[in-house]
Amino acid sequence: MELAESALQSILDQDLYKFCMQQTVLEHYPDVIVEYGFINRDPSMRFNQAAFTQLQKDIAHMEHTTATNKDIEYLKHTCPYLSAEYLQFLASYRFNPTVDIACSLDEMGALELKIMGKWTQVILYEIPLLSMISSAYFSHVDTDWNYTGQLEKITAKGSQLVDASCEFAEFGTRRRRDFKTQNMVVCALSQLHCGPGQCIGTSNVYLARKYNMKPVGTVGHEWTMAIAALEGTYENGNSLALRKWHATFKGSLGIALTDTFGTTAFFANFDRQLASLYAGVRHDSGDPFQFIERVHAHYTKIGISPATKTIVFSDGLDPEKAIRVKKYCAEYAVNCSFGIGTNFTNDFLCASDPTKQSKAANIVIKLLKCGDKYCVKLSDVTSKHTGNACEVERAQTSLTKLGLLD
């Protein structure tokens, strides 16, 4: 059966890090009940009934999406850090959207969506749902766009990065305009000319297999958010999350995410022992140039050569910004790579006036609760703070008193 391009194409039509986090949850917190919520950061983005109907149809179809023997074999050979026990679990995994998801549209066109269930069961919904929401919106609400020039545009972007000696990956699943766009993007990136830089892979496992690329990923904020909530500590949430992650993957997938509770709190936890276990760190909010300076200073302070570590940048990048960041990393002798999402898979012009940008969606799904504990994120950019307002304030107060929040 041929699938609609708005639907989940395969259980592998997913970002790699979600499978990795599902394995860690299965190992460390198999019985925890969680709740996720949809957040639309752009109040002007309203849905109509046609978009909502498509979304409902795509969500319902998820119950028919399962891991095939071919999928499991691919993961077994391509991702050796995924354990046999986990792959056995995934082989029998089933989406149950009727039970796990509550979705509604109010009279003003605001979409409301909640996900609730056992963490091991519902962790795989976030990325597919975000891509479905975007596809529904751009199929039925904002239709003033087309694919004209997309292939040429992504080829030019990729070539620009290759020629500038950048190592980069495609991170666009959650922000893609639709599946057709991401498929086009990854296909083009897989065929780039050889040069001093390279495209090292894609976060989308399905497309990685389709185009013989490496599936790549790190870890999401929800891992640290959940552990801080479950273990009752913002002060040591980062170190606990990092140690549990390393216990599962033994050094594979060794890029540490720095901004769940702000980078000051992160570096306070990232001592020499932990820093030695991890290959590098990921920047996902705040000024990237100041971040380079802080990373260099921190590694130097704890007696580790910054030249032996890597910074992965993934915050709102385009080729020009990535190239500027790479040049600054070179000044500090720090290795770097880039994960580029929205600029690759949701960069369109208005069809009616090609001088105007077609605005991309600015949507997220965030972990809200673990059991009866609220989960929060304190980004290095205040507008990206998420969670219950009282709990956000409590976390800020706690970390500020300890001198761990800028």
Side-chain angles (χ1 to χ4, degrees):
M1 180 180 68
E2 185 174 347
L3 293 174
E5 289 193 334
S6 59
L8 186 61
Q9 301 297 301
S10 155
I11 200 167
L12 299 187
D13 186 13
Q14 173 77 264
D15 280 344
L16 174 67
Y17 82 112
K18 277 292 185 173
F19 294 121
C20 300
M21 286 197 293
Q22 190 178 41
Q23 176 171 316
T24 59
V25 172
L26 189 66
E27 179 177 339
H28 297 284
Y29 299 101
D31 298 316
V32 168
I33 303 298
V34 300
E35 180 182 335
Y36 296 83
F38 170 72
I39 301 170
N40 185 356
R41 291 173 172 162
D42 179 3
S44 69
M45 181 182 176
R46 299 287 172 166
F47 290 76
N48 57 28
Q49 189 58 48
F52 185 63
T53 299
Q54 177 182 308
L55 177 61
Q56 287 179 305
K57 181 179 178 180
D58 291 340
I59 290 174
H61 182 270
M62 295 181 80
E63 69 174 303
H64 304 295
T65 305
T66 60
T68 65
N69 290 337
K70 180 181 175 182
D71 296 335
I72 298 300
E73 283 300 308
Y74 172 78
L75 292 173
K76 178 180 177 182
H77 293 291
T78 308
C79 308
Y81 39 81
L82 296 178
S83 68
E85 293 79 9
Y86 170 67
L87 292 178
Q88 184 178 7
F89 170 86
L90 186 62
S92 62
Y93 175 85
R94 299 292 183 272
F95 288 106
N96 192 4
T98 303
V99 172
D100 301 333
I101 298 173
C103 187
S104 62
L105 188 70
D106 72 16
E107 65 278 4
M108 300 299 293
L111 180 68
E112 297 180 7
L113 187 147
K114 290 284 179 68
I115 309 162
M116 183 179 291
K118 190 175 285 191
W119 199 6
T120 52
Q121 165 65 22
V122 299
I123 193 170
L124 295 186
Y125 281 111
E126 175 193 356
I127 306 302
L129 286 175
L130 287 171
S131 62
M132 290 174 192
I133 291 167
S134 179
S135 182
Y137 179 78
F138 287 107
S139 294
H140 297 285
V141 182
D142 182 354
T143 59
D144 185 18
W145 61 277
N146 56 43
Y147 300 102
T148 301
Q150 280 295 303
L151 181 59
E152 294 79 6
K153 184 182 290 188
I154 188 58
T155 301
K157 290 176 180 179
S159 298
Q160 184 181 1
L161 289 162
V162 167
D163 292 342
S165 303
C166 292
E167 285 198 350
F168 63 98
E170 186 275 327
F171 273 16
T173 307
R174 67 170 59 232
R175 298 289 171 82
R176 70 191 186 195
R177 184 148 295 204
D178 57 12
F179 175 77
K180 180 177 179 177
T181 301
Q182 190 180 21
N183 183 59
M184 185 190 311
V185 164
V186 176
C187 178
L189 294 177
S190 73
Q191 299 173 11
L192 289 174
H193 66 278
C194 296
Q198 62 175 326
C199 179
I200 59 176
T202 171
S203 62
N204 187 293
V205 183
Y206 175 77
L207 292 174
R209 180 176 67 181
K210 182 176 181 178
Y211 294 109
N212 194 29
M213 298 178 77
K214 181 180 180 181
V216 296
T218 57
V219 63
H221 295 99
E222 73 174 280
W223 178 242
T224 306
M225 291 166 64
I227 289 177
L230 291 167
E231 305 297 340
T233 173
Y234 293 113
E235 179 183 1
N236 297 309
N238 283 292
S239 60
L240 287 172
L242 291 168
R243 293 185 192 283
K244 288 177 184 290
W245 187 263
H246 186 268
T248 297
F249 294 114
K250 310 295 191 297
S252 296
L253 307 167
I255 297 295
L257 182 57
T258 59
D259 70 331
T260 307
F261 305 123
T263 51
T264 299
F266 172 82
F267 285 126
N269 278 193
F270 201 52
D271 58 21
R272 180 180 172 82
Q273 181 189 30
L274 272 176
S276 298
L277 295 175
Y278 279 79
V281 296
R282 177 156 74 98
H283 170 268
D284 199 49
S285 64
D287 187 306
F289 303 99
Q290 292 179 7
F291 185 78
I292 293 165
E293 296 169 5
R294 294 187 72 173
V295 169
H296 184 276
H298 183 74
Y299 278 128
T300 302
K301 179 182 176 181
I302 60 178
I304 293 177
S305 170
T308 65
K309 300 298 181 179
T310 297
I311 305 176
V312 177
F313 295 89
S314 60
D315 179 36
L317 295 169
D318 57 28
E320 291 75 17
K321 184 175 181 180
I323 292 167
R324 293 197 305 272
V325 169
K326 178 177 173 54
K327 290 178 179 177
Y328 204 64
C329 281
E331 293 182 23
Y332 283 83
V334 179
N335 302 303
C336 63
S337 66
F338 304 91
I340 303 180
T342 304
N343 183 260
F344 277 178
T345 62
N346 211 331
D347 181 17
F348 286 79
L349 300 175
C350 294
S352 63
D353 184 356
T355 64
K356 294 182 179 179
Q357 190 75 17
S358 174
K359 187 164 60 171
N362 189 2
I363 55 177
V364 294
I365 291 174
K366 287 297 182 184
L367 187 65
L368 301 179
K369 295 181 77 174
C370 284
D372 60 351
K373 308 288 187 181
Y374 287 111
C375 299
V376 303
K377 174 191 169 192
L378 305 180
S379 170
D380 284 326
V381 175
T382 305
S383 62
K384 289 186 175 182
H385 288 0
T386 58
N388 174 270
C390 292
E391 188 63 20
V392 167
E393 184 177 356
R394 192 178 79 82
Q396 289 176 310
T397 300
S398 173
L399 291 172
T400 299
K401 285 181 178 179
L402 294 166
L404 299 178
L405 193 65
D406 292 334

